[in-house]
Amino acid sequence: MKIEDYPLAKELIFDAEGNISQVILDYTDYQYFLEAIEDRGLLLAMGEVKNEKPLNLQQALAELETE
């Protein structure tokens, strides 16, 4: 495996068996990945509730009190 195969990686760190164990990234690339993961989680959460009926404020507050 060559670093050229991983365009965002600045450095690859290998374990004793020669497998990649760590990847060094620029901080801005790291932030981009975190944002992408958070966006994906939000998308999944939105998909889980897309067919639920919206609550009004009073219903939402009552729901929070029961938790």
Side-chain angles (χ1 to χ4, degrees):
M1 292 179 215
K2 300 176 285 189
I3 190 97
E4 295 84 22
D5 297 333
Y6 303 91
L8 296 178
K10 297 301 172 195
E11 182 180 346
L12 300 175
I13 300 174
F14 298 89
D15 63 15
E17 289 82 37
N19 301 310
I20 297 172
S21 63
Q22 297 180 31
V23 178
I24 307 296
L25 303 172
D26 280 334
Y27 185 67
T28 54
D29 293 335
Y30 170 75
Q31 287 178 310
Y32 171 79
F33 282 126
L34 283 181
E35 187 173 312
I37 291 167
E38 290 170 353
D39 288 348
R40 175 73 173 149
L42 179 59
L43 179 64
L44 292 173
M46 290 170 58
E48 289 178 10
V49 299
K50 73 177 181 179
N51 294 322
E52 291 185 12
K53 180 183 172 198
L55 303 176
N56 64 35
L57 178 60
Q58 296 304 325
Q59 292 169 323
L61 292 174
E63 184 73 23
L64 287 173
E65 288 180 9
T66 62
E67 290 182 1

